[in-house]
Amino acid sequence: MGLSPDAAGGPAPVPADMHAVTPHLVCRDAAGALDFYQRAFGATGTVRLDGPDGKLMHGCLWIGDSAVMLMEEMPACQSSSPATLGGTPVSLHLYVPDADAAFERAVREGATAVMPPADMFWGDRYGVVQDPYGHRWSIATHVRDVSPEDMRAAMARLAGA
């Protein structure tokens, strides 16, 4: 997470173990969310910075090769969770080797099934869960390559249905 600077030129603008875009989730009970993501999605490499009140002020974990940051909601800082907002328009897309197994694991650990996995016209086996903290996760495994022309034709068929 960029905690050690490059000796020659200072810290890198993007830390070596991070990507340019990293989700930063605001959760009511962020410590519970951090534990849930470990159980449900196999998150590893947890960084935890608890505040004086014991609440998670900043957390970072890795799911696959991607970092996910999270923090406790803080209305005073205009940081509200989906629970406070009444939902979220954002979905996190998670590619995994076996979408069905990952979906079932997430549900077993407490996520709500929104859409069970199914084969999609764009070539993914794809399903959606909502975690206990209000965040939606699409879970996918790429199962076949589909040309842009075939995708457009499939979308046109769906639009006409």
Side-chain angles (χ1 to χ4, degrees):
M1 211 171 81
L3 300 177
S4 50
D6 176 318
V14 177
D17 58 349
M18 301 294 279
H19 297 291
V21 176
T22 302
H24 195 158
L25 306 179
V26 178
C27 302
R28 184 179 297 166
D29 183 18
L34 191 136
D35 294 336
F36 172 81
Y37 298 142
Q38 290 174 313
R39 292 189 323 272
F41 301 134
T44 61
T46 304
V47 174
R48 254 187 110 120
L49 300 172
D50 292 321
D53 60 359
K55 291 185 178 182
L56 185 69
M57 297 300 292
H58 175 76
C60 188
L61 45 82
W62 280 260
I63 300 173
D65 66 351
S66 300
V68 176
M69 295 182 190
L70 60 156
M71 64 180 279
E72 186 69 31
E73 71 177 343
M74 292 188 287
C77 297
Q78 298 178 348
S79 296
S80 300
S81 73
T84 297
L85 297 173
T88 178
V90 175
S91 180
L92 296 130
H93 192 78
L94 177 61
Y95 272 113
V96 296
D98 183 340
D100 292 277
F103 181 93
E104 290 304 321
R105 178 180 179 182
V107 169
R108 185 175 56 248
E109 292 298 336
T112 301
V114 174
M115 182 181 126
D119 291 337
M120 297 295 163
F121 68 86
W122 60 82
D124 287 354
R125 179 106 178 128
Y126 175 94
V128 180
V129 298
Q130 182 168 311
D131 72 34
Y133 308 92
H135 297 284
R136 288 207 172 190
W137 296 77
S138 55
I139 300 173
T141 300
H142 189 69
V143 294
R144 63 186 169 84
D145 293 330
V146 179
S147 72
E149 296 78 23
D150 288 344
M151 276 191 244
R152 281 192 279 285
M155 288 187 326
R157 284 191 299 277
L158 285 174

